């Protein structure tokens, strides 16, 4: 069952002997994952988001990594699905929110310009009954203005439109920003763009990477940008790596750019160094 779920759900899978070793590996990984928070093995990296016109920093996205002494640095693609499946994503997600808010406060105290920090919410977090009071408490404890926290959700979280709308409106009352991540790759519905209190729309990097050679990707991106702007929603393009990407996205009015062309995700101290050397001209 879990093997089928990991392969996209709505499918069937036949048992094979290799599944046993996979399950055993998951059990061992889950055991390590449970200890990771206590052992302070998680770190947050920060990737800058650049205003396409002014070239000033618009914000950063916080991205989690797991540095285990036995396994080394583990990417989210390897442990997040297991964390979701086991329910560990809830305490991990809460740690991310706390760490990000503490970092926001630290940067403000250091005198860095004030910009929002984006944090991804998992579907399990999103539908926790205490999500809103938990975020409010984290913001209050860190003494951070809610407008400097941006919460990213995926399209799949919006499938239950009524529940999602209620949660998002409660979050907006706190004063945080809301972004739809990986737009166009999930259960896209144009109706929720009008119904939900969305501030930013993130164009998935799968559309961006081939815009220099793929006409369809160019058409999709230009349509997303036009649609978002007609609804007064700011667009953020992920996976920006080349001058061609920048030229096309600026030409079609994309507001914010994020990707390796500007910087890879960085630890806080490295980000501060990057920021001090960033050419704003």
């Amino acid at each position: 069952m879990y093997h089928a779920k990991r392969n996209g759900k709505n499918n069937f899978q036949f048992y094979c002997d290799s599944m046993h070793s996979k399950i055993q590996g998951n059990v061992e990984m889950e055991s390590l994952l449970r200890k990771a928070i206590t052992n302070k093995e998680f770190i947050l990296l920060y990737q800058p988001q650049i205003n396409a016109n002014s070239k000033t920093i618009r914000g950063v996205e916080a991205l989690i990594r797991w540095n285990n002494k036995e396994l080394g640095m583990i990417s989210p693609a390897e442990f997040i699905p297991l964390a979701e499946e086991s329910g560990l994503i809830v305490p991990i997600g809460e740690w991310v929110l706390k760490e990000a808010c503490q970092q926001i406060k630290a940067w403000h105290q250091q005198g860095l310009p004030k910009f929002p920090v984006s944090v991804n919410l998992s579907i399990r977090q999103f539908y926790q009954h205490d999500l809103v009071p938990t975020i409010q408490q984290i913001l209050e404890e860190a003494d951070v203005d809610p407008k400097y926290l941006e919460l990213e959700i995926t399209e799949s979280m919006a499938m239950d439109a009524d529940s999602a709308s209620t949660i998002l409106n409660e979050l907006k009352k706190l004063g945080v920003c809301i972004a739809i991540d990986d737009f166009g790759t999930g259960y896209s519905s144009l109706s929720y763009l009008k119904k939900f209190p969305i501030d930013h729309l993130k164009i998935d990097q799968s559309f961006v990477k081939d815009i220099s050679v793929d006409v369809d990707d160019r058409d999709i991106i230009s349509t997303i940008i036009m649609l978002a702007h007609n609804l007064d929603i700011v667009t953020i393009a992920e996976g920006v790596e080349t001058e061609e990407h920048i030229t096309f996205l600026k030409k079609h009015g994309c507001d914010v750019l994020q990707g390796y062309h500007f910087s890879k995700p960085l630890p806080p101290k490295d980000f501060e160094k990057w920021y001090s050397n960033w050419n704003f001209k």
Side-chain angles (χ1 to χ4, degrees):
M1 180 183 70
Y2 288 117
H3 184 64
K5 284 184 175 182
R6 280 191 291 270
N7 282 275
K9 305 183 181 180
N10 270 347
N11 70 89
F12 63 88
Q13 299 287 329
F14 292 103
Y15 176 82
C16 61
D17 291 340
S18 64
M19 285 184 185
H20 181 74
S21 60
K22 176 71 173 178
I23 291 167
Q24 187 64 34
N26 281 351
V27 171
E28 293 171 359
M29 180 77 85
E30 183 178 331
S31 177
L32 293 173
L33 198 53
R34 289 185 181 278
K35 300 173 184 175
I37 296 178
T38 303
N39 295 340
K40 298 182 179 180
E41 295 176 359
F42 293 116
I43 59 173
L44 285 187
L45 306 182
Y46 298 88
Q47 187 171 40
Q49 299 169 330
I50 307 299
N51 186 299
N53 293 316
S54 67
K55 296 184 180 179
T56 57
I57 185 168
R58 173 264 168 203
V60 297
E61 181 178 2
L63 299 162
I64 190 171
R65 299 291 186 269
W66 178 16
N67 190 12
N68 179 266
K69 64 180 181 180
E70 296 178 29
L71 303 175
M73 192 68 74
I74 307 169
S75 77
E78 294 182 64
F79 71 86
I80 290 298
L82 180 59
E84 287 272 12
E85 193 175 289
S86 64
L88 291 171
I89 195 66
V90 175
I92 291 172
E94 187 172 331
W95 175 86
V96 171
L97 285 165
K98 289 180 179 178
E99 185 73 13
C101 286
Q102 289 169 4
Q103 187 60 65
I104 293 170
K105 184 63 176 180
W107 280 335
H108 289 182
Q109 291 175 334
Q110 291 175 38
L112 266 70
K114 296 181 177 181
F115 44 74
V117 173
S118 301
V119 172
N120 292 276
L121 287 183
S122 75
I123 191 166
R124 283 215 184 202
Q125 276 181 285
F126 187 67
Y127 286 108
Q128 289 289 306
H129 71 279
D130 61 347
L131 173 68
V132 176
T134 296
I135 292 175
Q136 183 175 18
Q137 181 179 352
I138 289 171
L139 287 164
E140 289 174 353
E141 288 177 353
D143 190 24
V144 168
D145 190 320
K147 68 182 180 182
Y148 296 118
L149 177 65
E150 178 167 280
L151 303 174
E152 296 187 9
I153 68 167
T154 59
E155 294 171 285
S156 59
M157 296 184 198
M159 289 182 67
D160 184 351
D162 291 336
S163 296
S165 180
T166 299
I167 296 167
L168 290 172
N169 279 294
E170 288 178 358
L171 289 170
K172 283 300 294 181
K173 287 178 184 177
L174 289 182
V176 300
C177 296
I178 305 292
I180 297 288
D181 195 17
D182 302 335
F183 184 75
T185 62
Y187 303 91
S188 301
S189 172
L190 299 183
S191 64
Y192 69 60
L193 291 181
K194 180 179 71 172
K195 185 175 183 179
F196 297 163
I198 299 168
D199 300 293
H200 306 123
L201 205 61
K202 299 194 77 174
I203 302 169
D204 188 68
Q205 59 185 340
S206 63
F207 299 124
V208 174
K209 68 177 182 178
D210 292 327
I211 54 178
S212 58
V213 294
D214 193 313
V215 174
D216 290 339
D217 282 346
R218 292 199 292 268
D219 290 342
I220 288 170
I221 289 175
S222 60
T223 300
I224 291 174
I225 294 170
M226 181 175 65
L227 173 65
H229 287 175
N230 286 339
L231 295 171
D232 293 323
I233 298 173
V234 172
T235 54
I236 303 172
E238 298 181 290
V240 178
E241 296 183 354
T242 68
E243 288 289 348
E244 285 182 291
H245 291 168
I246 295 173
T247 300
F248 177 86
L249 291 164
K250 287 183 66 175
K251 177 182 176 181
H252 289 274
C254 186
D255 303 291
V256 180
L257 311 175
Q258 176 182 347
Y260 275 59
H261 180 83
F262 304 104
S263 173
K264 65 181 182 181
L266 299 168
K269 293 298 182 184
D270 290 346
F271 170 78
E272 292 160 18
K273 184 177 179 180
W274 172 91
Y275 178 81
S276 65
N277 294 322
W278 172 248
N279 183 6
F280 291 85
K281 298 179 180 179

